[in-house]
Amino acid sequence: MTNDPSRLLIVASNRGPVSYRHAEDGSLSANRGGGGMVSGLTSGLAAVAADGGTLWLCAALSEADREVARRPDRAPSSPGEVPVRMLDIPADVFDAAYNGIANSLLWFVHHLLFDTPNQPRFDMAFRADWAAYVAYNETFAAALAQECASGTRVLIQDYHLSLAPRMLRDRYPAARIAHFEHTPWAPPEYFRLLPDDVAIAILDGMLGADHAGFLAWRWADAFLDCCEAVLGAEVTRTRPGAGRVTHRGHVTEVAVHPLGVDAEELRARGRQADVLSSASALREIARGRQLIVRVDRTELSKNIVRGMAAYRELLVTRPEWRGRVTHLAFAYPSRSGLTEYQAYTARVHELAAEINAEFGTPDWEPLILDVKDDYPRSLAACGLADVLLVNPIRDGMNLVAEEGPILSEGGCALVLSREAGAAALIGEAALLVNPYDVSATANALHAGLIMPAAERQRRSATIASVAAARAPRRWLAEQVEALG
Amino acid sequence: MTNDPSRLLIVASNRGPVSYRHAEDGSLSANRGGGGMVSGLTSGLAAVAADGGTLWLCAALSEADREVARRPDRAPSSPGEVPVRMLDIPADVFDAAYNGIANSLLWFVHHLLFDTPNQPRFDMAFRADWAAYVAYNETFAAALAQECASGTRVLIQDYHLSLAPRMLRDRYPAARIAHFEHTPWAPPEYFRLLPDDVAIAILDGMLGADHAGFLAWRWADAFLDCCEAVLGAEVTRTRPGAGRVTHRGHVTEVAVHPLGVDAEELRARGRQADVLSSASALREIARGRQLIVRVDRTELSKNIVRGMAAYRELLVTRPEWRGRVTHLAFAYPSRSGLTEYQAYTARVHELAAEINAEFGTPDWEPLILDVKDDYPRSLAACGLADVLLVNPIRDGMNLVAEEGPILSEGGCALVLSREAGAAALIGEAALLVNPYDVSATANALHAGLIMPAAERQRRSATIASVAAARAPRRWLAEQVEALG
């Protein structure tokens, strides 16, 4: 598919669009699909006409992936699919880079998640993890440099690969590099908890790119603040979320590219039989009651416990809702290897049980917590929600906030954390809340429940339309265009 | 003592310069003294010639204090002492305002201490505490308004009393009010975790003052940032840490007044018999080994656990120090009613025991942890320290960092967190470290231990001299002067 190498478009990300597993007969079977970022990129790439072809570099995540990665030929791809090159990174290096640094450190920094008196602790063990993160990034940079020809455009994704832009620039100076950060960005006063050399390496690494993209102006501005405060780089600001950083003689453009949803594709998926059958089952459960829905991974940043506490406060302070509303909380397992996540998941279960014990009646289960990841059911729940609760303490974007209104049948009220990047896109069409404020969240749930149907519909339609206008193809096209 | 009421100078703070207890015969006995802020204010007030006299308003902290507060006459004072008026605040209101809001919320916000996925949680219980904090501030404002005459200058202290300046302004518009914040200040991205009305009330409350003082430019700048981001107030910046905020038609000057130490007084105290005898006992323990000393309350922000982890890393990575150094860690009880503090104290004890079990020999106890608050012994330890470790994750100022070098006999190396306000005053005369970076702290301890005596002495003398130049009388005089 690679015709004109000077027009080649390469995406690099930790997780790719395909993964492999060993079938029972020992053969390898491929599985397409993935989370929000991967599906956004896939859908965006399919729409961007790259006459030089496209290529996706990703890490091998399993032993089966590694087996594919070690083959001399590229991972097999069907017609119309993006060719994938998987990188064979040793399991221990991958684990230290991915769990030790990306998910336990950088994710925590940008989401302000640390229990600071106790964590993080940068000691000898940290240095080993950091060396693995450097090696992981170098593996990507080396592979990217191999693929680059003059004019090749490279889109490097997220906090796993913050060093790769600089490393690629050093190996292949003519590369046209964009980095996109899918998380929030920490303010300098928090970012500086990183060891100095690490803080500098991350900023300097990203500034190896020609273009650095963020999901919301707050995150882009925080990045510019860090470049000034930590690197002492020369920063020119053109408007909120946009500017230029000059560092080591190289200029990086900083810009915001909010990520929306392909509404047509999502609605089509929502009309498939598995979703419709889930919807019937959920209607059976609701039995005419209003539904407050949430759909999240059980991620520390998603704020499920405070969301449930708000629901409890609603039932305490406005007893008229008892028996008239059901809270469907779909909270799928996430990063269950990390102890903080195990403890948090336990608290989610405890609080759900407490609320049901406190308010439940033989006829009414106030809160239905389900942790089984069931995509069709999630879509069905979004379609039926009267109130959709999306209350992260901090979130790069949050696509559920956009998907819910798109899928909604009769219109839903969206209770949305102002600390989600999506809040900048959606604005006052949602009921915006401070995610730490349980009482304010309870009040917003009430406001959503009593909202007249016409207003729900109007707000929902507004949100669906701003989200649809930012479909992944536009998001990706903007970045490609920014590279010239 | 109040001669000319228009020249009266009033100090208002939670804790006053005197407290009472019931003696065995039921009579009340007074006890003068207190922590860093109180002794700074006492020493400062004694030096500021207020021809209209001075008055100190504080909260009654105990039942004995309340008994005194209820008497019609002012708290008795000896000649030369500041007259004190104690405010009789009901115990439950005091507890909710002091523990519930000031120490569990505002302290945590400004020191970035929250385990954000779990705390804070602003629910109905919080609202009751907040109402108590408002009432506590109103009690002060009402009492201050009673004492004010035209021209009276009022110095309101710290985060316990952030609403009082505005409340006093409303009651007595002609008052000349300064507020001084003894903590750090949170950046807007963290400050905004407060409920909106609370965040606004705190900033607006402080902006009732004519002058808002901070200990370091970073805290003053963060306050200005919050005034802009949260209130949308008009902010004019004149230089780092200084500016003007115009809000609701009133102008507040913002400035930095670093707090130092009365070196002569401290050195005189250090020559008293109890200190000398403690010093002998400590020399006995050290038996010629070098001493790494820390003296702190067991406060979450003081970072004792990471400090001990750094000491352990020193012993692991540089085994030549085993048997040649002793770490004296004096960690006095603090806020032991709060569960986070109990858990933290337990971790301090566990880690100390682990280090002694790992490295101790019959001849050598590597780490001596003592939690008994013994002021003469603290002074003696500072005097003997080869290396003084002051590594808070965030600290308004930190006077130990200044007192140590002043008390040092032969000069000590100061390993100082760059996140302490004192770092702005002391600068490169200390060995500055990132307090989250255990390895960097271990390296700094090593650098301190091997530092030539002449260099230790030179650096110590520099620190002592900058600290002495900022003695409390100057700190206070600047604020009084700023009120005109």
Side-chain angles (χ1 to χ4, degrees):
Chain A
M1 296 187 52
T2 307
N3 312 315
D4 174 2
S6 78
R7 304 294 303 156
L8 176 64
L9 182 64
I10 309 181
V11 166
S13 66
N14 174 67
R15 187 178 297 272
V18 62
S19 60
Y20 294 88
R21 59 183 187 78
H22 287 111
E24 278 187 21
D25 65 357
S27 70
L28 287 168
S29 76
N31 181 30
R32 291 256 156 191
M37 186 190 80
V38 165
S39 67
L41 277 163
T42 306
S43 144
L45 276 179
V48 172
D51 45 13
T54 54
L55 174 65
W56 195 320
L57 254 71
C58 62
L61 303 180
S62 65
E63 273 315 307
D65 283 357
R66 280 191 191 89
E67 213 170 288
V68 173
R70 280 181 215 124
R71 291 180 181 170
D73 55 327
R74 294 291 154 89
S77 64
S78 321
E81 280 172 354
V82 181
V84 173
R85 178 176 166 191
M86 283 197 168
L87 302 179
D88 177 18
I89 296 168
D92 57 337
V93 173
F94 177 83
D95 180 63
Y98 180 73
N99 290 313
I101 300 298
N103 287 347
S104 297
L105 178 60
L106 302 181
W107 180 268
F108 274 59
V109 167
H110 291 312
H111 290 83
L112 315 183
L113 290 177
F114 279 118
D115 173 21
T116 50
N118 301 300
Q119 292 296 336
R121 207 189 279 190
F122 301 110
D123 54 12
M124 291 179 295
F126 161 76
R127 286 289 154 186
D129 286 352
W130 178 248
Y133 183 81
V134 173
Y136 168 103
N137 273 265
E138 266 167 359
T139 304
F140 271 86
L144 286 167
Q146 276 175 6
E147 304 289 349
C148 273
S150 160
T152 301
R153 293 153 301 170
V154 182
L155 306 177
I156 298 176
Q157 304 302 310
D158 229 359
Y159 61 106
H160 314 88
L161 290 170
S162 52
L163 308 181
R166 169 71 57 194
M167 291 168 168
L168 173 58
R169 171 81 51 214
D170 288 345
R171 285 166 188 264
Y172 195 88
R176 291 145 75 197
I177 309 171
H179 185 275
F180 196 87
E181 182 76 23
H182 293 262
T183 68
W185 197 268
E189 287 283 291
Y190 201 89
F191 189 75
R192 59 194 258 132
L193 64 70
L194 291 170
D196 294 4
D197 63 317
V198 170
I200 290 169
I202 286 169
L203 297 171
D204 178 65
M206 289 168 67
L207 293 175
D210 300 295
H211 186 81
F214 294 86
L215 286 166
W217 67 266
R218 283 173 62 196
W219 319 144
D221 277 353
F223 176 76
L224 293 172
D225 292 343
C226 286
C227 289
E228 266 180 330
V230 176
L231 285 185
E234 189 192 322
V235 171
T236 314
R237 292 163 198 266
T238 47
R239 60 176 182 283
R244 242 183 317 280
V245 185
T246 307
H247 180 59
R248 295 171 60 185
H250 178 74
V251 177
T252 305
E253 288 279 343
V254 174
V256 175
H257 307 289
L259 180 57
V261 174
D262 187 324
E264 249 175 75
E265 193 181 288
L266 183 65
R267 286 199 186 105
R269 182 69 187 85
R271 284 189 297 267
Q272 287 183 17
D274 51 358
V275 178
L276 299 178
S277 122
S278 282
S280 299
L282 292 176
R283 267 197 212 91
E284 196 66 33
I285 289 169
R287 286 163 53 200
R289 295 187 178 98
Q290 290 209 59
L291 286 178
I292 299 173
V293 170
R294 79 173 303 139
V295 179
D296 285 299
R297 291 183 297 120
T298 309
E299 217 303 310
L300 296 184
S301 65
K302 298 297 182 186
N303 207 22
I304 299 172
V305 169
R306 286 192 192 84
M308 288 182 174
Y311 180 60
R312 170 193 257 170
E313 192 160 309
L314 175 79
L315 298 179
V316 170
T317 56
R318 306 187 194 262
E320 66 268 27
W321 288 116
R322 294 184 197 167
R324 293 178 49 218
V325 65
T326 299
H327 184 11
L328 291 180
F330 296 150
Y332 308 137
S334 181
R335 301 184 187 170
S336 41
L338 303 180
T339 52
E340 290 95 332
Y341 286 68
Q342 291 161 10
Y344 191 79
T345 303
R347 278 193 294 278
V348 167
H349 282 274
E350 277 162 29
L351 185 52
E354 273 174 42
I355 290 172
N356 283 328
E358 191 175 346
F359 300 101
T361 65
D363 292 337
W364 176 54
E365 193 180 352
L367 195 161
I368 296 172
L369 169 66
D370 202 318
V371 300
K372 186 168 165 289
D373 189 352
D374 180 337
Y375 184 64
R377 191 185 56 182
S378 298
L379 298 186
C382 285
L384 294 176
D386 294 283
V387 179
L388 182 65
L389 175 58
V390 180
N391 67 325
I393 56 177
R394 203 169 165 93
D395 206 329
M397 192 75 202
N398 198 302
L399 292 180
V400 175
E402 306 181 21
E403 291 163 347
I406 288 173
L407 287 163
S408 180
E409 292 173 5
C412 72
L414 173 64
V415 175
L416 176 61
S417 166
R418 68 179 183 198
E419 305 298 326
L425 186 66
I426 292 172
E428 299 297 327
L431 299 166
L432 295 178
V433 293
N434 171 348
Y436 296 95
D437 195 335
V438 168
S439 299
T441 307
N443 290 340
L445 291 176
H446 174 71
L449 289 170
I450 61 167
M451 189 182 282
E455 187 182 344
R456 273 193 201 168
Q457 217 149 15
R458 193 173 61 244
R459 287 171 176 252
S460 230
T462 303
I463 298 168
S465 117
V466 296
R470 301 285 330 167
R473 59 180 166 278
R474 175 165 167 200
W475 169 78
L476 197 81
E478 281 178 358
Q479 295 172 65
V480 173
E481 203 173 307
L483 287 181
Chain B
M1 298 189 46
T2 306
N3 313 315
D4 174 2
S6 79
R7 304 294 303 158
L8 176 64
L9 182 64
I10 310 181
V11 167
S13 66
N14 175 69
R15 186 178 298 272
V18 62
S19 61
Y20 293 89
R21 58 182 188 79
H22 287 111
E24 279 186 20
D25 65 357
S27 71
L28 288 168
S29 75
N31 180 31
R32 292 255 153 191
M37 186 190 80
V38 165
S39 67
L41 277 163
T42 306
S43 144
L45 276 178
V48 171
D51 42 14
T54 54
L55 174 64
W56 195 321
L57 255 71
C58 62
L61 304 180
S62 65
E63 273 315 308
D65 283 358
R66 280 191 192 89
E67 213 171 288
V68 172
R70 281 180 214 125
R71 291 181 182 168
D73 55 328
R74 293 292 154 87
S77 64
S78 321
E81 280 172 353
V82 181
V84 173
R85 176 175 166 192
M86 283 198 169
L87 301 179
D88 177 18
I89 296 167
D92 58 336
V93 173
F94 177 83
D95 180 64
Y98 180 73
N99 289 314
I101 301 297
N103 287 348
S104 296
L105 178 60
L106 302 182
W107 180 269
F108 273 59
V109 167
H110 291 312
H111 291 83
L112 315 183
L113 291 177
F114 279 119
D115 174 21
T116 50
N118 301 300
Q119 293 297 336
R121 207 189 278 189
F122 300 110
D123 53 13
M124 291 179 296
F126 161 76
R127 285 289 154 186
D129 286 352
W130 178 249
Y133 182 80
V134 173
Y136 169 102
N137 272 264
E138 266 167 358
T139 305
F140 271 86
L144 286 167
Q146 275 173 6
E147 304 289 349
C148 273
S150 161
T152 301
R153 293 153 301 169
V154 182
L155 306 177
I156 299 177
Q157 304 301 310
D158 229 359
Y159 61 106
H160 315 89
L161 290 170
S162 53
L163 309 181
R166 170 70 58 194
M167 291 168 168
L168 173 58
R169 172 80 53 215
D170 288 346
R171 285 165 189 265
Y172 195 89
R176 290 144 75 196
I177 309 170
H179 185 276
F180 196 87
E181 182 76 22
H182 294 261
T183 68
W185 198 267
E189 287 283 291
Y190 202 89
F191 189 75
R192 60 194 257 132
L193 63 70
L194 291 170
D196 295 4
D197 61 318
V198 170
I200 290 169
I202 286 170
L203 296 171
D204 177 65
M206 289 169 67
L207 293 176
D210 301 295
H211 186 82
F214 293 86
L215 286 165
W217 66 267
R218 282 173 62 195
W219 319 145
D221 276 354
F223 176 75
L224 293 172
D225 292 343
C226 286
C227 289
E228 267 180 329
V230 175
L231 284 186
E234 189 192 321
V235 171
T236 315
R237 292 163 199 265
T238 47
R239 61 176 181 284
R244 242 183 317 281
V245 185
T246 307
H247 180 58
R248 295 171 61 184
H250 178 74
V251 177
T252 305
E253 288 278 344
V254 174
V256 175
H257 306 290
L259 180 57
V261 174
D262 187 324
E264 248 175 76
E265 193 180 289
L266 182 66
R267 287 200 186 104
R269 182 68 187 86
R271 283 189 298 266
Q272 286 183 18
D274 52 357
V275 179
L276 299 178
S277 123
S278 282
S280 299
L282 291 176
R283 267 196 212 91
E284 197 66 32
I285 289 169
R287 285 164 52 198
R289 296 186 177 100
Q290 290 209 59
L291 286 178
I292 299 173
V293 171
R294 77 174 304 139
V295 179
D296 285 300
R297 291 183 297 120
T298 309
E299 217 303 310
L300 296 184
S301 64
K302 298 298 182 187
N303 208 20
I304 299 172
V305 169
R306 286 193 192 83
M308 288 182 175
Y311 180 60
R312 170 193 257 170
E313 192 160 309
L314 175 79
L315 297 179
V316 170
T317 57
R318 305 186 195 264
E320 66 268 28
W321 288 116
R322 295 183 197 167
R324 293 178 49 217
V325 65
T326 298
H327 184 10
L328 291 180
F330 295 149
Y332 308 137
S334 180
R335 302 183 187 170
S336 42
L338 303 180
T339 52
E340 290 95 332
Y341 285 69
Q342 292 161 9
Y344 191 78
T345 303
R347 277 192 295 277
V348 167
H349 282 274
E350 277 162 29
L351 184 51
E354 273 174 43
I355 290 172
N356 282 329
E358 191 176 347
F359 299 101
T361 65
D363 292 337
W364 176 54
E365 193 180 353
L367 195 161
I368 297 171
L369 169 66
D370 203 316
V371 300
K372 185 168 165 287
D373 189 351
D374 180 337
Y375 184 63
R377 192 186 55 183
S378 297
L379 297 186
C382 284
L384 294 175
D386 295 284
V387 179
L388 182 65
L389 175 58
V390 180
N391 67 324
I393 56 177
R394 202 168 166 94
D395 206 328
M397 192 76 202
N398 198 301
L399 292 180
V400 175
E402 306 181 21
E403 290 163 348
I406 288 173
L407 287 163
S408 179
E409 291 174 7
C412 72
L414 173 64
V415 175
L416 176 61
S417 166
R418 68 179 183 197
E419 305 298 327
L425 186 66
I426 293 171
E428 299 297 328
L431 300 166
L432 295 178
V433 293
N434 171 347
Y436 296 96
D437 195 335
V438 167
S439 300
T441 307
N443 290 339
L445 290 175
H446 175 72
L449 289 170
I450 62 167
M451 189 182 281
E455 188 182 343
R456 273 192 200 169
Q457 216 150 15
R458 193 173 60 244
R459 286 172 178 252
S460 229
T462 303
I463 298 168
S465 116
V466 295
R470 301 286 329 167
R473 58 181 167 277
R474 175 165 168 202
W475 169 79
L476 197 82
E478 281 178 358
Q479 294 173 65
V480 173
E481 203 173 309
L483 288 181

